[in-house]
């Protein structure tokens, strides 16, 4: 039996292959049938050397090759984080280097852009709007860090009123303060004729009455309190002016020739004072010599309060002071103070009309009259008096009840000029006269006894009816003061009391009438009660004072309030049919 052996190639395919031997399809050999020969699958044989030993391929034992590391052991997230940190650092360095430029650039940025986003008023796809928001957010961040101040809130725009709306607004202003009487109040008032006589009602029109019912405005209810003095007047904001100059400039402007100068005269001055208690940082302290004290004794206090320079008339040592940098020695500090003050405040009186009022009595009253006349001409007029300081109109400042000194006068006039004042009325008097009363007629106790007869004589000459009463009698007997006043018309207290026994007080030689009452409240009511239509009643003596001094007691007393109560009281009497035009009346 013949076999043919198939030779194997050097490299076989990886998959198993099959080889079969077949006899001829029609061949038979001794009845033996040949079946296909199935060979096992062959695989790649390892390398066998000539010596029969196994030699593996080097690449088969090497570990798998790792992919190339382009991130140097850092993942992508960490790389992004590091890049952002480097960018922030560069940004901070640039900001610190140009901080002033950045802050000035966004100092005036409108922060309303943020509020638009919160309220839903943004414009959506507006690119420039988004930029504005980003800048506004940056400014807000600077504010939180304390690098910028909070932007002031803008005033909301107010639409102009129509003429009809203006008229309605004026009517509303007129009706402010009026109280509405309810139906229950009206029912209670019906039970009392006296209450009905002291009140009157302003009823609504028929059409309004149908809608509003019986509501009425009660004008003379005891709770009704309308401030007639401030009615229709408005306050304006007073702006404080700022002044500063070097000490050298001040000496040059004021033409003050010093005896000697020590220290740095280029130091900046922001204020001037001669009262150490009023000194503030940056002030020039002038050591004035008064009747009771010497300003040189208070240099230490002025220094502690921040004085940076001193004007004195005595040699003093400033080396031990805290902040005084210059000393100017002059012959008389009292004489140079007005010139220094006027120069420091830039001579405000040169740009305003100034009216000075002198004399012993009546300065305050005259000042008010002149102020009123100037304002009636349309001029903004200020006033300086022992009673009050006015910038202009009704803009009143606190007053120490004395004529202001040279520094305060210049300061107040500079403030007036800065706020648009065109004229100023001021009392001009000596220190002794400034301590007295400045009203038309006033005869208080313990002072000016010699003028009492003259005051009564002037009053009876100028007035048809004169009512004498007490004005701060203090420790004196009010009747003794009135007796001194009666001497001005040739009467005595005994004469007056004798006339009173018969309820008849004869007229004076000039035909005028004279009455008196030692209780001021009663005297005010008498004067108001005797007034008739067309008469003018002048309540003199106290003026702005709101007190009455009798003995050791100082009690509240306001002539203005007494006049209002007297008018209401007399009106009630008139409605009750009582004639009050003749004195005495019960």
């Amino acid at each position: 039996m013949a076999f043919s052996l198939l030779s194997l190639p050097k490299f076989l395919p990886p998959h198993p292959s099959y080889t079969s031997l077949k006899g001829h399809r029609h061949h038979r050999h001794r009845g033996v049938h040949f079946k296909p020969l199935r060979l096992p699958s062959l695989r790649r044989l390892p390398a066998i050397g000539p010596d029969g030993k196994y030699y593996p391929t080097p690449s088969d034992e090497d570990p798998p090759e790792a992919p190339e590391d382009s991130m140097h052991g850092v993942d992508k997230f960490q790389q992004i984080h590091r890049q952002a940190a480097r960018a922030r650092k560069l940004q901070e360095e640039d900001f610190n280097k140009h901080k002033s430029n950045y802050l000035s650039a966004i100092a005036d940025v409108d922060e309303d852009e943020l509020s638009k986003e919160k309220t839903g008023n943004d414009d959506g796809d507006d690119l420039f709007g988004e930029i504005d928001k980003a800048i506004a957010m940056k400014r807000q961040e600077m504010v939180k860090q304390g690098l910028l101040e909070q932007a002031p809130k803008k005033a909301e725009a107010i639409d102009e009123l129509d003429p009809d709306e203006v008229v309605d607004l004026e009517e509303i202003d007129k009706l402010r303060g009026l109280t509405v009487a309810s139906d229950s109040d009206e029912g209670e008032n019906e039970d009392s004729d006296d209450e009905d006589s002291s009140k009157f009602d302003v009823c609504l029109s028929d059409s309004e009455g149908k809608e509003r019912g019986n509501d009425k405005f009660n004008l003379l209810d005891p709770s009704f309190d309308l401030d007639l003095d401030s009615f229709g007047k408005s306050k304006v904001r007073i702006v404080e002016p700022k002044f500063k100059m070097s000490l050298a400039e001040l000496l040059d402007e004021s033409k003050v020739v010093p005896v000697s100068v020590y220290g740095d005269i280029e130091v900046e001055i922001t204020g001037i004072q001669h009262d150490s208690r009023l000194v503030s940082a940056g002030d020039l302290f002038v050591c004035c010599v008064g009747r009771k004290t010497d300003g040189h004794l208070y240099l230490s206090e002025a220094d502690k309060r921040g004085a940076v320079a001193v004007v004195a008339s005595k040699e003093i040592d400033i080396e031990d002071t805290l902040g005084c940098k210059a000393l100017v020695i002059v012959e008389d500090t009292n004489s140079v103070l007005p010139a220094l003050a006027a120069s420091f405040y830039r001579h405000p009186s040169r740009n305003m009309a100034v009216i000075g009022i002198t004399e012993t009595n009546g300065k305050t009253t005259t000042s008010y009259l002149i102020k009123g006349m100037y304002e009636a001409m349309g001029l903004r007029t200020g006033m300086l008096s022992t009673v009050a300081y006015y910038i202009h109109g009704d803009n009143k400042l606190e007053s120490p009840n004395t004529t202001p000194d040279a520094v305060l006068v210049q300061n107040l006039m500079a403030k007036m000029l800065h706020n648009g004042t065109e004229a100023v009325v001021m009392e001009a008097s000596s220190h002794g006269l400034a301590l007295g009363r400045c009203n038309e007629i006033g005869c208080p106790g313990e002072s000016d006894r010699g003028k009492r007869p003259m005051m009564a004589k002037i009053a009876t000459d100028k007035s048809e009816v004169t009512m004498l009463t007490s004005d701060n009698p203090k420790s004196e007997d009010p009747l003794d003061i009135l007796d001194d006043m009666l001497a001005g018309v040739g009467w005595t207290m005994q004469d007056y009391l004798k006339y009173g026994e018969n309820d008849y007080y004869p007229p004076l030689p000039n035909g005028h009438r004279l009455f008196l009452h030692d209780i001021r409240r009663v005297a005010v009511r008498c004067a108001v009660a005797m007034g008739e239509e067309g008469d003018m009643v002048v309540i003199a003596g106290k003026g702005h004072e709101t007190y009455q001094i009798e003995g050791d007691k100082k009690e509240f007393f306001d002539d203005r309030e007494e006049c209002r109560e007297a008018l209401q009281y007399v009106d009630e009497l008139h409605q009750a049919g009582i004639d009050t035009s003749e004195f005495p009346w019960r």
Side-chain angles (χ1 to χ4, degrees):
M1 179 171 54
F3 293 90
S4 61
L5 182 64
L6 298 178
S7 62
L8 298 175
K10 295 183 179 179
F11 297 98
L12 298 176
H15 297 289
S17 58
Y18 298 91
T19 305
S20 61
L21 294 175
K22 293 184 179 180
H24 194 269
R25 182 181 297 264
H26 301 286
H27 178 73
R28 294 181 179 270
H29 184 70
R30 292 183 181 179
V32 178
H33 298 277
F34 290 90
K35 295 182 179 180
L37 179 63
R38 184 177 182 179
L39 297 179
S41 60
L42 299 178
R43 60 182 179 85
R44 186 178 180 181
L45 298 177
I48 304 296
D51 54 1
K53 295 182 178 180
Y54 170 68
Y55 294 94
T57 304
S59 61
D60 293 341
E61 299 296 327
D62 290 343
E65 182 177 358
E68 182 179 0
D69 184 8
S70 60
M71 298 185 181
H72 307 286
V74 181
D75 60 22
K76 194 67 174 178
F77 177 78
Q78 291 177 327
Q79 283 192 352
I80 295 174
H81 182 72
R82 290 183 179 182
Q83 292 174 0
R86 284 195 296 268
R88 281 195 299 269
K89 184 177 180 181
L90 292 175
Q91 186 179 19
E92 291 176 359
E93 292 176 353
D94 183 69
F95 174 77
N96 294 330
K97 184 178 179 181
H98 305 92
K99 180 185 292 186
S100 58
N101 295 338
Y102 284 125
L103 295 179
S104 60
I106 65 175
D108 300 328
V109 170
D110 187 5
E111 295 184 2
D112 291 343
E113 295 296 330
L114 297 179
S115 61
K116 291 181 181 179
E117 183 178 8
K118 294 179 181 179
T119 56
N121 295 331
D122 55 347
D123 297 332
D125 298 333
D126 184 8
L127 175 60
F128 294 101
E130 294 297 327
I131 296 175
D132 292 339
K133 290 177 186 177
I135 298 176
M137 292 178 64
K138 192 65 177 178
R139 189 192 191 285
Q140 201 172 63
E141 179 183 345
M142 298 301 174
V143 171
K144 292 180 179 179
Q145 296 177 4
L147 300 177
L148 290 175
E149 294 182 356
Q150 186 72 36
K153 294 184 178 180
K154 294 184 178 181
E156 297 182 359
I158 301 177
D159 297 334
E160 294 185 1
L161 299 177
D162 296 332
D164 295 339
E165 294 176 329
V166 173
V167 174
D168 294 341
L169 186 60
E170 292 176 352
E171 293 295 329
I172 293 174
D173 291 337
K174 292 179 181 179
L175 294 176
R176 281 180 177 173
L178 302 182
T179 58
V180 180
S182 63
D183 294 337
S184 60
D185 295 335
E186 184 178 359
E188 294 176 359
N189 292 338
E190 292 176 355
D191 298 334
S192 174
D193 295 336
D194 293 337
E195 293 183 4
D196 285 338
S197 64
S198 65
K199 303 175 182 177
F200 65 94
D201 298 325
V202 178
C203 299
L204 303 174
S205 63
D206 293 339
S207 60
E208 294 175 330
K210 295 177 181 178
E211 297 176 0
R212 300 278 301 274
N214 297 325
D215 290 346
K216 301 176 182 179
F217 291 96
N218 190 336
L219 297 181
L220 293 181
D221 188 84
S223 62
F224 173 72
D225 184 15
L226 181 61
D227 187 1
L228 298 178
D229 295 335
S230 61
F231 182 75
K233 301 174 182 178
S234 59
K235 298 288 185 178
V236 298
R237 179 172 175 266
I238 301 301
V239 180
E240 292 285 344
K242 302 294 183 182
F243 297 90
K244 63 180 180 180
M245 65 172 60
S246 68
L247 179 58
E249 291 174 333
L250 179 59
L251 295 175
D252 183 61
E253 290 287 337
S254 63
K255 303 296 188 290
V256 171
V257 180
V259 175
S260 57
V261 177
Y262 304 93
D264 180 16
I265 62 173
E266 295 298 330
V267 62
E268 186 177 78
I269 305 298
T270 58
I272 180 170
Q273 288 293 345
H274 66 93
D275 187 339
S276 61
R277 297 168 296 182
L278 303 178
V279 171
S280 58
D283 282 355
L284 168 67
F285 179 58
V286 182
C287 302
C288 292
V289 180
R291 294 182 298 173
K292 297 182 179 180
T293 187
D294 186 346
H296 295 82
L297 302 176
Y298 302 98
L299 173 61
S300 177
E301 181 181 356
D303 174 53
K304 292 178 181 179
R305 293 180 180 273
V308 296
V310 178
V311 175
S313 57
K314 301 177 183 179
E315 292 289 342
I316 55 178
D317 186 9
I318 64 170
E319 292 184 358
D320 296 333
T321 59
L322 299 175
C324 288
K325 299 179 181 180
L327 170 64
V328 178
I329 304 297
V330 297
E331 293 183 356
D332 185 2
T333 52
N334 292 32
S335 62
V336 302
L337 179 63
L340 291 173
S343 298
F344 180 78
Y345 289 108
R346 309 294 185 184
H347 301 278
S349 60
R350 295 178 179 176
N351 298 293
M352 293 188 295
V354 181
I355 303 96
I357 311 298
T358 63
E359 256 304 328
T360 306
N361 297 290
K363 294 187 298 297
T364 300
T365 301
T366 306
S367 298
Y368 272 103
L369 293 174
I370 295 178
K371 179 178 182 292
M373 288 188 293
Y374 267 72
E375 290 177 341
M377 295 187 293
L379 297 176
R380 287 187 171 185
T381 307
M383 188 178 80
L384 301 177
S385 73
T386 58
V387 174
Y389 304 150
Y390 287 91
I391 297 300
H392 56 69
D394 298 313
N395 300 289
K396 185 179 180 180
L397 302 178
E398 292 296 327
S399 169
N401 293 329
T402 58
T403 299
D405 56 47
V407 175
L408 186 55
V409 166
Q410 298 297 334
N411 177 277
L412 292 174
M413 294 179 71
K415 187 182 297 185
M416 292 177 185
L417 182 64
H418 187 72
N419 287 274
T421 301
E422 300 167 279
V424 57
V425 183
M426 61 181 297
E427 295 181 25
S429 62
S430 65
H431 181 70
L433 292 177
L435 296 179
R437 303 297 178 190
C438 299
N439 296 281
E440 279 176 37
I441 301 175
C443 298
E446 302 178 1
S447 64
D448 297 329
R449 183 173 181 179
K451 76 175 186 180
R452 294 171 182 172
M454 295 185 294
M455 302 300 284
K457 180 66 167 61
I458 295 173
T460 55
D461 286 345
K462 303 298 182 181
S463 303
E464 296 180 49
V465 180
T466 300
M467 175 68 69
L468 303 181
T469 187
S470 61
D471 176 18
N472 295 334
K474 300 180 182 176
S475 61
E476 283 195 71
D477 188 338
L479 295 179
D480 291 340
I481 298 175
L482 293 172
D483 188 39
D484 291 340
M485 298 179 73
L486 287 173
V489 296
W491 287 3
T492 64
M493 183 59 70
Q494 295 297 327
D495 295 334
Y496 185 81
L497 294 177
K498 184 178 180 180
Y499 296 142
E501 292 177 357
N502 300 319
D503 285 344
Y504 174 74
Y505 299 90
L508 300 174
N510 60 2
H512 295 172
R513 309 288 298 276
L514 173 64
F515 307 99
L516 64 84
H517 203 293
D518 61 330
I519 301 177
R520 189 175 184 87
R521 179 172 286 105
V522 176
V524 170
R525 294 195 176 189
C526 289
V528 173
M530 288 188 288
E532 298 179 349
E533 184 176 358
D535 289 348
M536 177 184 292
V537 179
V538 178
I539 311 297
K542 285 194 173 298
H544 67 290
E545 292 179 352
T546 57
Y547 55 84
Q548 175 83 334
I549 302 176
E550 296 183 6
D552 297 332
K553 296 181 179 179
K554 183 178 181 180
E555 299 180 349
F556 177 80
F557 193 97
D558 189 342
D559 279 350
R560 294 164 293 187
E561 184 174 313
E562 294 299 325
C563 287
R564 294 188 186 103
E565 292 183 0
L567 286 170
Q568 182 173 346
Y569 177 65
V570 171
D571 183 68
E572 293 176 359
L573 294 177
H574 289 173
Q575 292 191 32
I578 300 176
D579 182 14
T580 62
S581 61
E582 286 295 328
F583 183 86
W585 48 270
R586 299 291 186 264

